[in-house]
């Protein structure tokens, strides 16, 4: 991680997923993925998942596979049952479910939902930790 990334990590407290309730953790993982898909499209011209009109669930499962390989990223309570619950939340297409993987999000949506102007950066840092890289490109 770059020195800037390390500084931001310190400022924003790393992933902090272990400090959240299970539901909040699932939502932030889902939102981190959804915002990354938006950023890949917007900044790198990379259409994948929902933006390529594909079912986003298999790609989100790959996102979770990577997250599980990153030592210390997921909370200590994370297990197969937690993963299944997170995936089920993302697959829930009901109107009441904010964390629906079939719905795109933008930075402004994240700020409005969390009532926190720093939340997009926090979610982007989480996705960077999962993928091991920043969004590539420079449109």
């Amino acid at each position: 991680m770059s020195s800037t990334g390390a500084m931001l990590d310190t400022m924003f407290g790393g992933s902090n997923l272990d400090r959240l309730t299970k539901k909040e953790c699932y939502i932030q993982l889902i939102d981190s993925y959804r915002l990354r898909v938006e950023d890949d499209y917007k900044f790198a011209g990379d259409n994948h998942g929902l933006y390529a009109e594909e079912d986003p669930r298999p790609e989100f499962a790959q996102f979770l596979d990577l997250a599980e390989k990153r030592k210390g990223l997921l909370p200590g309570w994370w297990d197969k049952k937690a993963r299944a619950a997170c995936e089920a939340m993302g697959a829930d297409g009901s109107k009441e479910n904010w964390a629906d993987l079939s719905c795109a999000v933008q930075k402004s949506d994240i700020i409005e939902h969390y009532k926190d102007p720093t939340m997009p950066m926090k979610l982007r840092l989480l996705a960077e930790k999962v993928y091991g890289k920043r969004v590539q490109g420079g449109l």
Side-chain angles (χ1 to χ4, degrees):
M1 182 183 302
S2 70
S3 60
T4 302
M7 179 186 73
L8 290 171
D9 196 45
T10 300
M11 283 174 49
F12 293 115
S15 72
N16 283 320
L17 295 175
D18 57 338
R19 297 180 186 174
L20 303 174
T21 66
K22 288 182 179 184
K23 181 179 179 181
E24 291 168 335
C25 176
Y26 303 156
I27 291 170
Q28 286 194 20
L29 284 166
I30 292 165
D31 284 348
S32 178
Y33 166 77
R34 293 193 305 163
L35 186 59
R36 179 58 174 255
V37 172
E38 163 70 15
D39 286 349
D40 284 346
Y41 170 73
K42 184 175 181 180
F43 299 119
D46 182 8
N47 295 340
H48 60 94
L50 188 60
Y51 286 75
E53 299 182 13
E54 300 168 347
D55 180 351
R57 292 173 297 176
E59 191 174 271
F60 180 65
Q62 292 173 347
F63 179 85
L64 292 179
D65 289 344
L66 290 172
E68 289 172 345
K69 292 177 184 174
R70 305 291 185 236
K71 187 177 180 181
L73 181 66
L74 296 173
W77 50 260
W78 186 267
D79 57 16
K80 289 180 182 181
K81 186 176 176 182
R83 180 185 172 131
C86 182
E87 290 177 322
M89 179 181 282
D92 177 2
S94 66
K95 279 176 77 172
E96 303 81 34
N97 183 27
W98 156 261
D100 181 357
L101 285 168
S102 67
C103 293
V105 294
Q106 297 177 354
K107 178 182 174 181
S108 59
D109 300 323
I110 296 292
I111 293 170
E112 182 180 331
H113 176 76
Y114 287 96
K115 311 275 189 269
D116 180 354
T118 67
M119 199 62 190
M121 179 61 71
K122 293 174 186 177
L123 295 173
R124 286 175 172 139
L125 287 171
L126 177 56
E128 185 177 322
K129 287 179 178 186
V130 171
Y131 286 116
K133 62 181 181 178
R134 295 181 182 175
V135 172
Q136 304 298 308
L139 295 178

